[in-house]
Amino acid sequence: MQRLELTRPPAASASMIVRRPPAEVFEAFADPSVTTRFWYSESSGRMVPGAELRWEWAVYGASVQVRVEAVEAGRLIRFAWGDQDQPTLVEMTFAPYAADATLVRVTETGFQGSGDDVVAWLDDTVGGFTTVLCALKALLEHGIELGAVADHHPA
C-alpha cells in the first residue's frame, strides 16, 4: 500500500438546508427541550457561552462532557467535547438560505491518533452529524421525530 500523507489538519463536515428561519434552527440546537427530540436524550443545560454541560444518549448508555466556547444567537454555536485531555472542537453555523430557509454547517476539528484512527473517527463524525441534520430537518419542517440518531448504530 502506498503511504498516505496529510498536508493539513483533517476536518469533518456535514451540511443541510433546513426550510425554517435561522433563528428557529439555531434555537433547536441551543434549547435542549428541542434538541432532545432529534439528537441526544438528555442535557444538563442550554447552550450558552461558558456552559459546562453533560449530554446523554440513553439508548447507547453513552454520555459526553461539553464546554460551550461561543454562541452568537441565530448564527453560531461552538463547543469542545469528548476526551477532556484532547477534546475536539465543533462549530455549527446557521446562514440564511432563500426565503425562510437556513444552511446549517457543522465542522469538527482537532482529531488525534493514528491515521487509521483519524479516518475512522472522521467517517463516524460525518455520518453522525448528517443523521442529526436529517432528524432536525424532519422535526422542524414536518413535525416528525424520526428516531434516526437512536437507529444510527444498531446493536
Side-chain angles (χ1 to χ4, degrees), residues 28-29 34-42 47 55-57 59-60 79 81 90 92 106 128-129 132 135-136 149-150:
F29 282 102
V34 180
T35 320
T36 54
R37 297 178 65 198
F38 67 90
W39 191 5
Y40 47 72
S41 55
E42 191 172 327
M47 298 286 274
W55 292 347
E56 296 183 21
W57 289 263
V59 70
Y60 298 124
F79 61 91
W81 68 343
V90 176
M92 301 176 158
V106 181
F129 279 122
V132 167
L136 166 74
V149 171

Side-chain angles (χ1 to χ4, degrees), residues 85-141:
D85 294 327
Q86 295 181 337
T88 57
L89 187 66
V90 176
E91 184 169 286
M92 301 176 158
T93 60
F94 308 89
Y97 188 91
D100 290 328
T102 304
L103 176 59
V104 183
R105 290 188 194 276
V106 181
T107 304
E108 186 169 2
T109 58
F111 302 102
Q112 302 288 320
S114 72
D116 290 337
D117 291 343
V118 170
V119 168
W121 199 348
L122 289 166
D123 181 53
D124 189 50
T125 296
V126 171
F129 279 122
T130 300
T131 301
V132 167
L133 293 175
C134 287
L136 166 74
K137 183 177 181 72
L139 178 65
L140 295 186
E141 290 184 14

